[in-house]
Amino acid sequence: MAINFETLDYLKDGNEKQRRTYQILSRHSVFVNLQAFDPLLVGTIPLNIDTEKSDLDIICCCKIKNSFIETLIENFSHHREFLLVEKKIRNRETILATFQVEEFEIEIFGQNKPTKEQEGYRHIVIEYTILCNNDEAFRQKIIQLKHEGLTTEEAFAKQLNLTGDPYLEMLKLGERQFKT
């Protein structure tokens, strides 16, 4: 059965860490507070390829930067290790907020781009498709490579023998094979 990454419901029936993720995000109203910004959970925990260092990555569409920043400060600045930065990522203005909620670090990533068009979402859909088309040994190899210090995209690129920028190569692979 395919996972619908547009909702958090699949986490309720997932592994222990996924269920805990659902509980924490719900208890702390993270997605409720971000509702106006079309939040999506991406990254390794939804894919069951996380390590003990994995955080919760949430992408958002922030059309009005100041409104997004105000929402982040108002709702999350009271959490431990709150940090808010503005930077350019691939020539796009980006707002990043990180903070600690219970045992998880949460990273909220906002760009003025629909969340389903952002690289984080496109990557999770591509990686999920690849994982579905491979066996458990492939998944374990991805986790092993992540333990060795590779990012998720670097691990997939290595396993798939992709050369060049792993982030861009994964997107190209998705465009060619999976029509994302």
Side-chain angles (χ1 to χ4, degrees):
M1 181 172 82
I3 294 177
N4 177 3
F5 293 109
E6 296 173 35
T7 174
L8 297 177
D9 291 343
Y10 67 94
L11 295 170
K12 291 188 236 178
D13 299 318
N15 64 33
E16 183 179 332
K17 196 169 196 178
Q18 290 168 335
R19 290 191 308 271
R20 185 86 175 115
T21 295
Y22 180 82
Q23 293 165 355
I24 289 172
L25 292 174
S26 298
R27 184 168 41 252
H28 294 276
S29 303
V30 175
F31 273 62
V32 170
N33 291 326
L34 294 172
Q35 185 176 342
F37 306 101
D38 195 22
L40 294 172
L41 180 66
V42 297
T44 59
I45 291 173
L47 294 174
N48 192 24
I49 54 170
D50 52 285
T51 67
E52 61 282 343
K53 295 179 183 178
S54 293
D55 60 3
L56 301 178
D57 297 309
I58 300 169
I59 59 173
C60 294
C61 176
C62 59
K63 294 178 180 167
I64 302 171
K65 179 175 85 168
N66 289 341
S67 174
F68 184 63
I69 290 171
E70 287 171 15
T71 298
L72 293 171
I73 292 169
E74 181 180 318
N75 292 288
F76 306 113
S77 64
H78 65 280
H79 289 290
R80 289 180 294 139
E81 301 177 39
F82 179 82
L83 178 65
L84 180 76
V85 295
E86 296 182 50
K87 61 195 298 185
K88 286 207 181 237
I89 297 178
R90 299 200 191 279
N91 294 318
R92 187 174 290 273
E93 212 173 300
T94 304
I95 310 296
L96 289 170
T98 57
F99 51 92
Q100 194 75 26
V101 176
E102 298 184 37
E103 72 266 25
F104 287 110
E105 179 179 330
I106 295 179
E107 180 177 89
I108 299 174
F109 178 98
Q111 291 185 329
N112 185 4
K113 184 175 190 177
T115 50
K116 287 190 229 167
E117 294 176 18
Q118 290 184 28
E119 289 182 11
Y121 182 76
R122 293 173 60 207
H123 279 158
I124 196 171
V125 171
I126 293 164
E127 292 158 2
Y128 175 69
T129 304
I130 293 167
L131 288 167
C132 288
N133 290 322
N134 283 280
D135 60 11
E136 178 63 14
F138 182 92
R139 187 180 77 81
Q140 289 298 328
K141 184 63 177 175
I142 296 294
I143 294 169
Q144 176 190 333
L145 290 169
K146 290 177 60 53
H147 278 291
E148 293 173 9
L150 271 63
T151 66
T152 303
E153 287 72 19
E154 290 168 344
F156 273 92
K158 183 170 183 169
Q159 274 302 98
L160 298 169
N161 296 314
L162 301 176
T163 57
D165 180 330
Y167 299 90
L168 296 177
E169 293 305 314
M170 289 294 291
L171 294 174
K172 289 179 191 174
L173 178 66
E175 289 169 3
R176 285 192 310 267
Q177 294 187 356
F178 310 119
K179 308 294 185 227
T180 60

